[in-house]
Amino acid sequence: MPSLLSMNGQTAVVFSQNLLRWFDTFKRALPWRVAYTPYAVWISEVMLQQTQMERGVAYFDRWMRRFPDIASVALADEDEIMKAWEGLGYYSRARNLHAAARMIVREMGGVFPSDPDRIRALPGIGEYSAGAIASVAFNLPVPAVDANVERIFSRLCDIDTPLKNAQTRRFIRDKVMELMPEGKARLFNQALMELGALVCSKKPDCARCPIPEFCEARRIGVQNERPAPGKKTEYSTLDVVTGLLCKDGKIFIQKRPEFGVWAGLWEFPGGCMEPGETPEEALLREFREETELAVTITGKIGVVRHSYTTCRVTLHGFFCTAPALERGTEQGAASGMEAGARSGEGPIILHAASSGKWVTPAELRDCAFPAGSRKLLDLVEKAGWDNALPGQSSSGGLSG
């Protein structure tokens, strides 16, 4: 049985031939593989980080219709970018992509760089992304080692140390370069990633593998025990409340600061429940702390659950009004708050947001929200806004 641990030139040739033959037959038809334009490859690589392929393709197609080239991304405002990204999560990816597009237009004449070091210097581009873009878009002989490739080599070489180990990562990177056939970096790197996605996945399908004779873990029967487990992720749980503050057929939204979690996204006022609080008590407290408003709860929207990287969130949503707003009282408003939120409409003083505004239900569709808030809005839209906004229904809200 040939071994990648003590390989020779012939071993590398047979390995790459078998792998590339399989890739030519079984590769998925993905839109960025049509012409391998640098812009399309770049967007796909950024989008597919932490995103399943089917979902990523749908977002990619919508993105390319809206932003067909680098210049269109650079010219867009941040709200447009965030709205196009809404639902993909990890929003720093979108902000970095936006910044990189502007950098390319400003400093590189609008042409995506081909040099791996210059690619690596773009905002949001790490070692893997730089290698993937350089090899797939420009066919340059550089490795692109993602989680799929790491998993494959943990089995091929029976690596019994966690993949996060720096020495292990260097070993895999070097092995990829040893095996890469001259002039075929684009196909070879994609073939490895495709093999990890379709065959050598978390539960390996060894019967479909094009290179089983090279797998040391399969030879000794431990392929299901590789990769070696690392530290188990610990998840926290959060109970969160939020309120749709309604007035004259509009809803108040506020924009998160340009730093921290969900930076730059829109949201409804609210926050985490404190020990011993009911959701209703938490909502009243959060509105006082964030807006200095005393609100009245008019109905419950419902409860949605959402998972983030290391957190499980239960979100309680309510409709509410503010008597002070209905009276039209005017007190000082925080600087930076948008005119629609402050002009003659009441004493909203922002303490947890960069700006705020009143919008119609239709206008909410153009604003980018975190996934939990968007799920809450889906509940409202299913029931119909006519039943939701105070003054338009005798119930004053939705039961949930």
Side-chain angles (χ1 to χ4, degrees), residues 3-264:
S3 173
L4 299 186
L5 298 175
S6 56
M7 57 183 286
N8 54 38
Q10 185 59 29
T11 300
V13 169
V14 175
F15 179 95
S16 62
Q17 285 179 342
N18 290 354
L19 179 65
L20 292 178
R21 190 179 301 116
W22 171 85
F23 181 65
D24 185 59
T25 302
F26 294 102
K27 66 178 181 289
R28 289 169 290 185
L30 301 175
W32 49 89
R33 287 177 175 165
V34 174
Y36 289 116
T37 62
Y39 172 63
V41 172
W42 172 42
I43 297 301
S44 72
E45 286 299 335
V46 176
M47 222 167 239
L48 288 174
Q49 295 169 24
Q50 308 291 336
T51 304
Q52 293 183 343
M53 180 64 76
E54 183 177 352
R55 182 181 176 91
V57 169
Y59 270 86
F60 176 88
D61 287 338
R62 287 197 296 271
W63 179 278
M64 297 303 285
R65 287 193 296 270
R66 174 60 188 85
F67 305 111
D69 51 33
I70 295 173
S72 61
V73 178
L75 290 171
D77 61 42
E78 184 175 288
D79 281 346
E80 289 181 276
I81 297 294
M82 300 306 279
K83 181 59 185 176
W85 202 269
E86 184 185 40
L88 275 176
Y90 300 92
Y91 289 92
S92 61
R93 293 182 295 169
R95 286 189 293 274
N96 284 329
L97 195 154
H98 194 204
R102 291 183 167 181
M103 180 177 174
I104 293 168
V105 169
R106 183 177 65 250
E107 300 178 14
M108 305 175 190
V111 178
F112 196 92
S114 59
D115 179 78
D117 290 335
R118 297 189 75 194
I119 296 173
R120 181 71 175 83
L122 294 173
I125 299 295
E127 181 182 34
Y128 159 72
S129 295
I133 296 168
S135 62
V136 176
F138 301 102
N139 200 29
L140 296 179
V142 290
V145 180
D146 68 352
N148 285 316
V149 177
E150 290 178 339
R151 188 188 317 111
I152 291 170
F153 279 88
S154 74
R155 290 169 179 153
L156 289 173
C157 300
D158 187 32
I159 299 172
D160 59 3
T161 55
L163 293 176
K164 299 300 181 184
N165 181 286
Q167 185 176 354
T168 300
R169 287 186 158 182
R170 283 195 299 271
F171 172 82
I172 292 174
R173 184 180 169 84
D174 291 344
K175 193 61 66 175
V176 170
M177 286 303 298
E178 286 183 62
L179 292 165
M180 185 180 294
E182 185 176 355
K184 296 184 178 180
R186 167 183 291 155
L187 298 177
F188 184 76
N189 281 345
Q190 286 187 98
L192 283 175
M193 291 185 277
E194 198 86 327
L195 183 70
L198 301 181
V199 176
C200 198
S201 56
K202 291 182 179 180
K203 292 184 178 180
D205 188 354
C206 296
R208 295 174 54 216
C209 181
I211 47 173
E213 67 272 27
F214 295 92
C215 186
E216 183 69 13
R218 178 178 178 270
R219 184 184 71 80
I220 61 179
V222 297
Q223 65 269 29
N224 291 314
E225 299 170 29
R226 300 289 180 265
K231 184 178 180 181
K232 188 175 181 180
T233 302
E234 295 183 2
Y235 294 94
S236 59
T237 58
L238 287 177
D239 284 296
V240 179
V241 296
T242 195
L244 274 65
L245 177 61
C246 307
K247 179 180 182 294
D248 298 332
K250 293 186 176 182
I251 304 96
F252 179 74
I253 60 175
Q254 60 184 25
K255 198 168 194 179
R256 295 183 65 86
E258 297 301 319
F259 56 86
V261 180
W262 304 316

Side-chain angles (χ1 to χ4, degrees), residues 311-352:
C311 190
R312 303 289 184 260
V313 176
T314 300
L315 175 63
H316 303 261
F318 297 89
F319 292 110
C320 55
T321 59
L325 295 180
E326 298 301 325
R327 292 194 300 269
T329 58
E330 183 77 40
Q331 298 177 12
S335 62
M337 192 171 184
E338 293 185 26
R342 68 171 182 261
S343 180
E345 301 216 64
I348 298 178
I349 301 176
L350 298 179
H351 293 289

Side-chain angles (χ1 to χ4, degrees), residues 268-324:
F268 308 105
C272 294
M273 293 170 55
E274 294 183 353
E277 280 186 324
T278 65
E280 291 81 0
E281 291 169 341
L283 186 70
L284 300 182
R285 173 184 55 75
E286 285 289 339
F287 260 93
R288 286 195 302 271
E289 293 175 355
E290 293 190 5
T291 66
E292 297 194 18
L293 283 177
V295 300
T296 299
I297 295 174
T298 59
K300 186 167 186 179
I301 301 169
V303 177
V304 298
R305 292 172 176 81
H306 194 72
S307 296
Y308 299 99
T309 309
T310 60
C311 190
R312 303 289 184 260
V313 176
T314 300
L315 175 63
H316 303 261
F318 297 89
F319 292 110
C320 55
T321 59

Side-chain angles (χ1 to χ4, degrees), residues 319-394:
F319 292 110
C320 55
T321 59
L325 295 180
E326 298 301 325
R327 292 194 300 269
T329 58
E330 183 77 40
Q331 298 177 12
S335 62
M337 192 171 184
E338 293 185 26
R342 68 171 182 261
S343 180
E345 301 216 64
I348 298 178
I349 301 176
L350 298 179
H351 293 289
S354 61
S355 62
K357 62 182 179 180
W358 293 91
V359 295
T360 65
E363 290 169 333
L364 285 172
R365 300 189 187 100
D366 297 324
C367 301
F369 287 88
S373 297
R374 182 55 65 184
K375 285 184 177 181
L376 203 65
L377 285 172
D378 288 344
L379 290 181
V380 180
E381 291 187 350
K382 286 178 182 178
W385 282 101
D386 287 345
N387 296 322
L389 295 176
Q392 298 183 24
S393 168
S394 59

